[in-house]
Amino acid sequence: MKIAIMGAMPEEISPILEKIGSYKTISYAGNKYYEASYRGIDLVIAYSKIGKVFSTLTAATMIEHFGAQKLLFSGVAGAISPTLKVGDLIVATKLAQHDLDITAFGHPFGYVPEGAVFIEADKQMIEMSKEVAKDMGKNVQEGIIATGDQFVANEERKNWIGSTFGADALEMEGGSVAVVCNALEVPFFILRAISDAADMDASFSFDEFLQTSAKESAEFVMKMVDKLAN
Ligand code: SAH
């Protein structure tokens, strides 16, 4: 089995590369991909760079070029739900693109013809994440994640995304990775640790907590990979 582990920024995958220790680096399509053998499974690891376009390219490359059969995303996000605090983990049940807007034609936000507002993550891996959370003694919330090409640092925008999509957290890659995996029929799992509250202090909070939150998320994703390897 070949599993893709993806992040958007170097900080999101460096704890994973550290844990794996030895890997092969392959340059492809303007990015670096790391291949490793880990507990009997093949891994391909990469960070995409920030946003929907780069994450689409990386997810598609991991599947189409590197042959990944499952994809796990690890990263950080801004909280919408007041129950999510910095460092908390959220598992995406489904994802939407909050900045996709052809509402002028009477469509709902996040919708284009032949698409869907929400894409559901793999139920089996979500179930597995509950076991991992229990094993680790961690409280992990499930919820809707909204994705867009914006760093949201604005209470009004955040609340709008929350009420329009019922979203609990927001970030810049999950929704596009979901589109790719759904189209290519590759089961996917999206995990985020909260780095900020998407409010006026978001950029400061992000800078302060990126590393610790990214590490939280990476540790959990590696436990998921351990379970998948068993
Ligand atoms: N510090 C970076 C920019 C980070 S952009 C730089 O200056 O280069 C934010 C990244 O973290 C994205 O990958 C996104 O997925 C996630 N994220 C965390 N908090 C977010 C928020 N409030 N709004 C949007 N994305 C957020």
Side-chain angles (χ1 to χ4, degrees):
M1 180 165 44
K2 192 157 191 179
I3 296 179
I5 309 176
M6 170 177 178
M9 298 172 282
E11 292 85 351
E12 291 170 332
I13 66 154
S14 56
I16 292 163
L17 293 177
E18 247 165 64
K19 179 167 164 96
I20 286 163
S22 76
Y23 44 82
K24 197 168 83 188
T25 306
I26 296 136
S27 291
Y28 184 78
N31 206 1
K32 283 200 174 73
Y33 292 84
Y34 306 96
E35 283 196 303
S37 166
Y38 174 80
R39 304 186 69 174
I41 47 178
D42 294 324
L43 297 179
V44 55
I45 303 155
Y47 74 90
S48 58
K49 298 187 277 287
I50 295 161
K52 294 198 294 180
V53 174
F54 284 127
S55 57
T56 298
L57 173 61
T58 296
T61 300
M62 288 173 128
I63 296 166
E64 288 290 278
H65 183 76
F66 289 94
Q69 294 153 300
K70 277 189 202 306
L71 187 149
L72 287 81
F73 191 105
S74 178
V76 299
I80 301 175
S81 165
T83 62
L84 285 169
K85 306 290 180 214
V86 167
D88 287 354
L89 294 169
I90 175 168
V91 168
T93 51
K94 54 183 184 174
L95 301 101
Q97 297 179 62
H98 67 70
D99 59 349
L100 188 53
D101 179 357
I102 56 163
T103 55
F105 297 92
H107 298 297
F109 284 102
Y111 179 83
V112 293
E114 298 178 48
V117 176
F118 293 106
I119 297 178
E120 289 185 9
D122 181 56
K123 292 207 170 56
Q124 248 175 310
M125 281 194 277
I126 294 175
E127 276 310 305
M128 189 178 277
S129 73
K130 291 180 189 163
E131 290 167 32
V132 170
K134 212 171 136 197
D135 294 349
M136 293 177 78
K138 276 207 191 300
N139 181 24
V140 179
Q141 294 187 41
E142 283 174 29
I144 297 172
I145 291 184
T147 300
D149 281 329
Q150 307 168 334
F151 182 79
V152 178
N154 174 311
E155 201 91 34
E156 206 180 314
R157 177 74 188 161
K158 151 180 145 168
N159 291 336
W160 179 85
I161 293 168
S163 57
T164 306
F165 297 94
D168 300 292
L170 56 85
E171 35 84 314
M172 303 178 66
E173 299 85 16
S176 40
V177 170
V179 170
V180 171
C181 292
N182 182 60
L184 296 171
E185 296 178 15
V186 166
F188 69 95
F189 176 77
I190 305 226
L191 180 79
R192 296 276 181 170
I194 300 302
S195 56
D196 59 84
D199 53 11
M200 59 186 278
D201 299 322
S203 61
F204 306 105
S205 177
F206 176 92
D207 283 340
E208 188 173 350
F209 297 111
L210 166 63
Q211 261 181 345
T212 47
S213 292
K215 199 157 171 253
E216 278 289 321
S217 177
E219 270 166 20
F220 192 94
V221 158
M222 284 315 288
K223 293 274 191 251
M224 289 286 295
V225 174
D226 287 344
K227 251 207 166 48
L228 288 166
N230 280 339

Coordinates of all heavy atoms in Angstrom, one line a residue, residues 8-9 12 50-51 76-79 148 150-153 170-173 192 195-199 202 206-207 210, ligand 1:
A8 N 0.8 21.8 3.9 CA 0.9 23.0 3.0 C 2.2 23.7 3.1 O 2.8 24.2 2.2 CB -0.2 23.9 3.2
M9 N 2.8 23.6 4.4 CA 4.0 24.4 4.7 C 5.1 23.5 5.2 O 4.7 22.4 5.8 CB 3.6 25.5 5.7 CG 2.6 26.5 5.3 SD 2.0 27.6 6.6 CE 0.9 26.5 7.4
E12 N 4.7 21.8 8.6 CA 3.6 20.8 8.8 C 4.1 19.4 8.4 O 3.6 18.4 8.9 CB 2.4 21.1 7.9 CG 1.7 22.4 8.4 CD 0.6 22.9 7.5 OE1 0.7 22.8 6.3 OE2 -0.3 23.5 8.1
I50 N 1.2 27.1 0.0 CA -0.1 27.5 0.5 C -1.2 27.7 -0.6 O -0.9 28.2 -1.6 CB 0.0 28.8 1.4 CG1 0.9 28.5 2.6 CG2 -1.3 29.4 1.8 CD1 1.5 29.7 3.3
G51 N -2.4 27.3 -0.3 CA -3.5 27.6 -1.1 C -4.1 26.5 -1.9 O -3.5 25.4 -2.0
V76 N -2.4 23.1 10.1 CA -3.0 24.0 11.1 C -4.2 24.7 10.5 O -4.3 24.8 9.2 CB -2.0 25.0 11.6 CG1 -0.9 24.2 12.4 CG2 -1.5 25.9 10.6
A77 N -5.1 25.2 11.3 CA -6.3 25.9 10.8 C -6.7 27.0 11.8 O -6.3 27.0 13.0 CB -7.4 24.9 10.6
G78 N -7.5 27.9 11.3 CA -8.2 28.9 12.2 C -9.5 28.3 12.7 O -10.2 27.6 12.0
A79 N -9.8 28.6 14.0 CA -11.0 28.0 14.6 C -12.2 29.0 14.3 O -12.0 30.2 14.3 CB -10.8 27.9 16.1
G148 N -10.5 28.3 1.6 CA -10.5 29.4 0.6 C -9.1 30.0 0.5 O -8.2 29.8 1.3
Q150 N -7.7 32.6 1.2 CA -7.6 33.8 2.1 C -7.1 33.4 3.5 O -7.6 32.4 4.0 CB -8.9 34.5 2.3 CG -9.7 34.8 1.1 CD -11.2 35.2 1.4 OE1 -11.7 34.8 2.5 NE2 -11.8 36.0 0.6
F151 N -6.2 34.2 4.0 CA -5.9 34.0 5.5 C -7.0 34.8 6.2 O -7.0 36.1 6.0 CB -4.5 34.5 5.8 CG -4.2 34.2 7.3 CD1 -3.8 33.0 7.8 CD2 -4.3 35.3 8.2 CE1 -3.6 32.8 9.1 CE2 -4.0 35.1 9.5 CZ -3.7 33.9 10.0
V152 N -7.9 34.2 6.9 CA -9.0 34.9 7.5 C -8.5 35.5 8.9 O -8.2 34.7 9.7 CB -10.2 34.0 7.6 CG1 -11.3 34.8 8.3 CG2 -10.7 33.6 6.2
A153 N -8.5 36.8 9.0 CA -8.1 37.4 10.2 C -9.2 38.5 10.5 O -8.9 39.7 10.7 CB -6.8 38.0 10.1
L170 N -11.4 26.8 9.5 CA -11.2 27.2 8.2 C -9.7 27.2 7.9 O -8.9 27.3 8.8 CB -11.7 28.6 7.9 CG -11.3 29.8 8.9 CD1 -10.0 30.4 8.4 CD2 -12.4 30.8 8.9
E171 N -9.4 27.0 6.7 CA -7.9 26.9 6.2 C -7.9 27.1 4.7 O -8.9 27.6 4.2 CB -7.3 25.6 6.7 CG -8.2 24.4 6.7 CD -8.3 23.7 5.4 OE1 -8.5 24.3 4.3 OE2 -8.2 22.4 5.3
M172 N -6.8 26.8 4.1 CA -6.6 27.2 2.7 C -6.3 26.0 1.7 O -6.0 26.3 0.6 CB -5.4 28.2 2.6 CG -5.7 29.4 3.5 SD -4.4 30.7 3.5 CE -4.5 31.3 1.8
E173 N -6.4 24.8 2.2 CA -6.1 23.6 1.3 C -7.0 22.4 1.3 O -7.1 21.7 0.3 CB -4.7 23.1 1.6 CG -3.5 24.1 1.4 CD -3.3 25.0 2.6 OE1 -3.8 24.6 3.7 OE2 -2.7 26.0 2.5
R192 N -6.5 18.9 11.3 CA -5.9 20.2 11.5 C -5.8 20.4 13.0 O -6.7 20.1 13.7 CB -6.8 21.3 10.9 CG -6.9 21.2 9.4 CD -5.8 21.9 8.7 NE -5.9 21.9 7.2 CZ -5.1 22.6 6.4 NH1 -4.1 23.3 6.9 NH2 -5.2 22.5 5.1
S195 N -4.4 26.9 15.1 CA -3.2 27.8 15.3 C -3.7 29.2 15.7 O -2.9 30.0 16.2 CB -2.4 27.9 14.1 OG -3.2 28.3 13.0
D196 N -5.0 29.5 15.5 CA -5.5 30.8 15.7 C -7.0 30.8 15.6 O -7.6 29.8 15.3 CB -5.0 31.8 14.6 CG -5.3 31.3 13.2 OD1 -6.4 31.7 12.8 OD2 -4.5 30.6 12.6
A197 N -7.6 31.9 15.9 CA -9.1 32.0 15.9 C -9.7 32.8 14.8 O -10.8 33.3 14.8 CB -9.6 32.6 17.3
A198 N -8.9 33.0 13.7 CA -9.3 33.7 12.5 C -9.9 35.1 12.8 O -10.7 35.6 12.1 CB -10.3 32.8 11.7
D199 N -9.4 35.7 13.9 CA -9.9 37.0 14.3 C -8.7 38.0 14.1 O -7.7 37.7 13.5 CB -10.3 37.0 15.7 CG -9.3 36.4 16.7 OD1 -8.1 36.3 16.2 OD2 -9.6 36.1 17.8
A202 N -5.2 36.9 14.6 CA -4.9 35.6 13.9 C -3.4 35.5 13.5 O -2.8 34.5 13.7 CB -5.8 35.3 12.8
F206 N -1.0 32.8 14.9 CA -0.5 31.8 13.9 C 1.0 31.7 14.0 O 1.6 30.6 14.1 CB -0.9 32.3 12.5 CG -0.3 31.4 11.4 CD1 -1.0 30.3 10.9 CD2 1.0 31.7 10.9 CE1 -0.4 29.5 9.9 CE2 1.5 30.9 9.9 CZ 0.8 29.8 9.4
D207 N 1.7 32.9 14.0 CA 3.2 32.9 14.1 C 3.6 32.2 15.4 O 4.6 31.5 15.4 CB 3.7 34.3 14.0 CG 3.7 34.8 12.6 OD1 3.6 34.0 11.7 OD2 3.8 36.0 12.4
L210 N 2.2 28.1 15.2 CA 2.3 27.3 14.0 C 3.1 26.0 14.3 O 2.6 24.9 14.0 CB 3.0 28.1 12.9 CG 3.5 27.2 11.7 CD1 2.4 26.5 11.0 CD2 4.3 28.1 10.7
Ligands
SAH1 N1 2.9 32.5 7.7 C1 2.8 32.2 6.3 C2 1.4 32.4 5.8 C3 0.4 31.4 6.4 S1 -1.1 31.3 5.6 C4 3.8 33.1 5.6 O1 3.9 34.3 5.9 O2 4.4 32.6 4.7 C5 -2.0 30.2 6.7 C6 -1.7 28.7 6.5 O3 -2.3 28.0 7.7 C7 -2.5 28.1 5.4 O4 -1.8 27.0 4.9 C8 -3.9 27.7 6.0 O5 -4.3 26.4 5.5 C9 -3.6 27.6 7.5 N2 -4.4 28.6 8.3 C10 -4.2 28.7 9.7 N3 -5.0 29.7 10.1 C11 -5.7 30.2 9.1 C12 -6.7 31.3 9.0 N4 -7.0 32.0 10.0 N5 -7.1 31.5 7.7 C13 -6.8 30.8 6.7 N6 -5.9 29.8 6.7 C14 -5.3 29.5 7.9

